[in-house]
Structure formats: C-alpha cells, structure tokens
C-alpha cells in the first residue's frame, strides 16, 4: 500500500512544503469544523470573532505539537515501514532537533493562547495537552489507542464549547453541563472509523512490530468495526440535532455527513482505496461543521 498522508515526493525541495507535509496540514480540517461546531451549539449563537480566532490558533498550535510528537515517537517504526519510509523525519528533511524545537514552541504558544481564551480553557489546557501528547505511545500497549486518537477529535468539540462557555459562566460544572456531549461522543466514534483507514493497510506490519490497534485485533472484521462506529456516530449526531433544538439545515448536513462517510466506506471496502476513504472524511467534517453552524446562525425552525 503506497498511500501515506505524511510522505514526501522525492523531488520536493521547498522547506515550507516539507513542513506542511510533515504536519499533514490539510488534516486540520478534521478538527477545526468540529471545534467551531462545539462553539456555536454551546451558546446557540455566534461566538465573538476574537474567540473564533483564538480557537483556531489554540487548535493549530496544539495540533502542531501533537503531530510533531507523533512523528518523533514513531521515527524508527516509520523507517521500517515501506509505506512511511519517505516521511520528512525519516529522510532527514526535518531534523530531530527541529522537531523538538517545534514541539516546545508550539506547546508554549498553545498555553499562552489558552490563557487569552478564558480562565477555564487555561486551567483545562494541561489535561488536553497530556491527552494529545500521550497518544503515540498508547499503541505500544493497547488497541484502544484508536479511541485515544478519536478522543482528541472529540476534544475539539469540547474545547470549542469551553472556549465560548467560559465567557458566560464562572462555574466549571455549569460549563460541563452545557457542553454538547452528543456531538463530542459522535465525533469520537466518527474518528475511530477514519483512523482505522490509516491502520488497516498496516495491520500485518503492526503485528510484526508488536503494535496494537483494532485493525490488528479484528483482522478482516476491522473495516466492519470502522463502519459500525461511524454509523453510531451519525445516530448520535442526529440525536444531538434534535436535543439541542437545531433545525432542518443541521439535519440535512448530518445526513449528508453520513452519506459521505458511507461513500468513503465503499471506497475502502470495495475499491481498497483507503487513501481516498480517509480524505473523504475531511469533506464530511466540513459539511457537518458548516451545516450546523449555518443552522445556528439562521435559526430556521422546523
């Protein structure tokens, strides 16, 4: 399987492009629409522009730290895997010292940005950072590393909600009660599905290396497991639309989100095209996030 979202073309010379591939910058669109969804739904209104900018910056800095740490933790494994041997840290296009510098700088900027979001975002930021930064080590021990990665996507919804709720509530309990948990959990299940598209092609290699994932544990049933997680995610998102009083645009976006996931599943199961299946989930994220946000802004009732 030659597809690798973090691989470099051998003719690549631009350092800027190398960094973009290293960070897999396009995958920001897995998380950003979900963070804004959490923000809009939590207050059923339009968050301040300054808060939306801070949400983007905090997510960008933390994701940069997390992705760099992931690459750094896996550099020796990636060097042995034919699918990932062209990643920048493996080839030397990015040096180990540069990666460590990126992690340190990005974490500092994440904490600074969190401080400016609100006090609760700042207090919770170390917990969020620990969850993100510990992910690459989990697959050494348990198949639930897939859910660990997925929980990071769920944290995008959670963090977006906290970013705006902290502007209006002084109590952490009140904030937690207002978080749109249907979407948080739905996002986690959705992310388990697309994360497995990344692991299924490597199942045999991971088994040889003693790494753990549901692709290794379930074998040929792993793809079915991925599809079931995403099916349940759509159910939870639809329940969220109803529970939080969203309207027809959100319902339509949720259904379209599910249909795009279904097509991605078709690509993986019938065409063995895990690369396109993986990236179609970016489209589904954008559709759901934009649809829900537009619904909140317009407030069109049933």
């Amino acid at each position: 399987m030659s597809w690798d979202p973090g691989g470099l073309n051998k003719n690549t010379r631009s350092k800027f492009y190398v960094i973009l591939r290293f960070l897999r910058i396009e995958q920001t669109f897995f998380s950003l629409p979900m963070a804004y969804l959490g923000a809009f739904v939590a207050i059923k209104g339009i968050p301040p522009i300054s808060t939306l900018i801070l949400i983007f910056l905090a997510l960008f800095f933390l994701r940069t730290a997390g992705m760099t740490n992931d690459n750094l933790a896996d550099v020796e494994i990636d060097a042995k895997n034919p699918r990932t041997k062209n990643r920048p840290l493996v080839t030397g296009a990015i040096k180990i010292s540069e990666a460590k510098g990126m992690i340190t700088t990005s974490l500092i900027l994440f904490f600074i940005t969190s401080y400016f979001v609100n006090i609760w975002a700042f207090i919770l930021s170390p917990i969020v950072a620990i969850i993100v930064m510990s992910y690459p080590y989990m697959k050494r021990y348990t198949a639930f590393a897939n859910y660990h990665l997925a929980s990071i996507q769920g944290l995008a919804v959670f963090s977006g909600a906290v970013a705006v709720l902290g502007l209006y509530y002084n109590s952490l309990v009140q904030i937690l009660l207002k978080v749109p948990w249907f979407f948080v959990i739905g996002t986690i299940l959705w992310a388990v599905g697309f994360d497995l598209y990344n692991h299924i092609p490597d199942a045999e290699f991971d088994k040889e290396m003693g790494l753990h994932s549901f692709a290794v544990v379930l074998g040929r049933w792993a793809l079915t497991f991925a599809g079931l997680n995403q099916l349940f995610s759509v159910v939870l998102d639809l329940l969220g639309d109803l529970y939080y009083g969203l309207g027809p645009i959100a319902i339509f976006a949720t259904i379209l989100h599910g249909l795009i996931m279904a097509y991605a599943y078709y690509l993986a199961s019938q065409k063995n095209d895990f690369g396109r299946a993986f990236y179609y989930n970016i489209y589904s994220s954008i559709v759901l996030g934009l649809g829900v946000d537009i619904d909140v802004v317009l407030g069109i009732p049933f």
Side-chain angles (χ1 to χ4, degrees):
M1 187 71 180
S2 60
W3 167 73
D4 176 27
L8 279 180
N9 185 304
K10 293 181 179 180
N11 297 321
T12 300
R13 296 183 180 180
S14 166
K15 186 72 171 184
F16 180 67
Y17 181 78
V18 168
I19 293 173
L20 293 182
R21 296 310 311 137
F22 178 67
L23 296 177
R24 297 169 230 176
I25 197 68
E26 74 283 354
Q27 293 183 24
T28 301
F29 288 102
F30 279 124
S31 304
L32 187 61
M34 296 306 181
Y36 285 158
L37 180 154
F40 277 74
V41 173
I43 60 172
K44 290 296 293 294
I46 305 174
I49 297 299
S50 59
T51 301
L52 293 176
I53 293 172
L54 288 170
I55 288 172
F56 168 76
L57 290 174
L59 186 149
F60 176 78
F61 292 136
L62 184 57
R63 190 183 175 283
T64 297
M67 184 60 72
T68 304
N69 184 55
D70 191 11
N71 279 284
L72 189 60
D74 287 351
V75 63
E76 293 183 3
I77 296 171
D78 289 341
K80 296 175 183 178
N81 187 344
R83 189 176 71 88
T84 58
K85 65 181 181 180
N86 289 322
R87 290 186 174 179
L89 211 56
V90 176
T91 64
I94 289 181
K95 297 178 174 60
I96 297 293
S97 58
E98 291 176 326
K100 291 179 178 178
M102 289 171 66
I103 292 172
T104 302
T105 303
S106 297
L107 282 177
I108 291 171
L109 290 172
F110 167 68
F111 291 127
I112 291 173
T113 305
S114 299
Y115 175 80
F116 285 105
V117 172
N118 62 60
I119 187 60
W120 292 114
F122 182 63
I123 289 172
L124 293 172
S125 62
I127 299 174
V128 174
I130 288 170
I131 293 172
V132 171
M133 299 301 285
S134 61
Y135 159 69
Y137 307 101
M138 293 298 291
K139 60 189 173 186
R140 273 82 165 167
Y141 305 104
T142 175
F144 282 93
N146 294 123
Y147 281 96
H148 191 136
L149 181 280
S151 72
I152 294 171
Q153 298 297 329
L155 278 174
V157 182
F158 173 84
S159 299
V162 170
V164 294
L165 291 169
L167 301 175
Y168 304 100
Y169 298 97
N170 294 321
S171 165
L172 181 59
V173 173
Q174 286 180 301
I175 290 173
L176 294 177
L177 289 174
K178 292 286 187 177
V179 169
W181 290 105
F182 277 108
F183 287 112
V184 172
I185 300 171
T187 299
I188 291 172
L189 297 181
W190 162 68
V192 169
F194 74 70
D195 186 43
L196 280 170
Y197 292 155
N198 223 351
H199 285 270
I200 291 172
D202 286 341
E204 290 303 317
F205 174 81
D206 287 350
K207 188 183 296 184
E208 292 174 6
M209 295 294 296
L211 301 176
H212 303 272
S213 75
F214 279 99
V216 173
V217 172
L218 298 177
R220 65 189 182 92
W221 295 105
L223 192 54
T224 301
F225 183 72
L228 287 174
N229 272 273
Q230 293 201 322
L231 176 61
F232 289 135
S233 79
V234 176
V235 172
L236 284 172
D237 288 340
L238 286 170
L239 289 173
D241 291 337
L242 298 174
Y243 183 81
Y244 302 115
L246 302 178
I249 297 175
I251 295 286
F252 175 77
T254 303
I255 293 172
L256 185 55
H257 169 68
L259 290 174
I260 294 172
M261 284 191 288
Y263 182 66
Y265 182 83
Y266 164 78
L267 289 173
S269 61
Q270 301 301 315
K271 302 293 185 180
N272 201 39
D273 191 344
F274 288 93
R276 288 177 67 202
F278 181 83
Y279 279 108
Y280 262 88
N281 278 269
I282 292 180
Y283 309 147
S284 70
S285 172
I286 294 171
V287 165
L288 180 64
L290 277 178
V292 169
D293 293 350
I294 291 170
D295 187 282
V296 169
V297 171
L298 296 181
I300 300 174
F302 280 107

